Amino acid sequence: MDGQDPADIKMGNVDEEENSVVAHGTAILGIDPEGGEAVLFKDLEVTNSKVKLSAYLAIDGNLNKSIELGELTGTMGTVKSTVPLGTDTSPYNTVVLRDQKSKKKVAVIEL
């Protein structure tokens, strides 16, 4: 995401507590240096490491109007979720983290 026009980057912070999960960090939607676009989670910290989280790019936090980005590969530090190639990301304004087991939203991050 380095080297791109900052106006093309969408970014938001997460600082949420939902049930037994606390999430902190920054989500950045931008161009992936490896091709296409990605959501990069920086300084991510999820307190319940037993939870398996999936990330979604959504319109107003609505999972019925979302694209699943897949399971997060980690819950600490920098984690990248790739956006499917060819996706028009312009209508999406939130990233949703959801517990795979309970299907409950853990965090909604406004971009």
Side-chain angles (χ1 to χ4, degrees), residues 66-86:
S66 70
I67 298 170
E68 185 174 1
L69 304 178
E71 182 179 338
L72 290 185
T73 57
T75 57
M76 300 293 282
T78 301
V79 179
K80 180 173 77 171
S81 291
T82 304
V83 175
L85 285 174

Side-chain angles (χ1 to χ4, degrees), residues 10-101:
K10 294 181 180 180
M11 183 171 66
N13 293 315
V14 59
D15 190 16
E16 304 236 356
E17 186 172 344
E18 181 67 36
N19 298 325
S20 63
V21 180
V22 177
H24 300 283
T26 302
I28 304 166
L29 171 62
I31 297 171
D32 185 351
E34 297 175 13
E37 291 182 275
V39 174
L40 184 69
F41 298 94
K42 290 188 75 169
D43 302 321
L44 183 65
E45 182 181 351
V46 178
T47 59
N48 187 342
S49 62
K50 295 179 182 180
V51 173
K52 289 188 179 184
L53 298 175
S54 289
Y56 296 81
L57 199 53
I59 297 173
D60 299 327
N62 185 340
L63 290 176
N64 292 323
K65 297 178 182 177
S66 70
I67 298 170
E68 185 174 1
L69 304 178
E71 182 179 338
L72 290 185
T73 57
T75 57
M76 300 293 282
T78 301
V79 179
K80 180 173 77 171
S81 291
T82 304
V83 175
L85 285 174
T87 300
D88 175 11
T89 59
S90 62
Y92 300 100
N93 60 357
T94 52
V95 174
V96 176
L97 298 179
R98 184 172 90 163
D99 179 350
Q100 290 182 349
K101 185 176 181 180

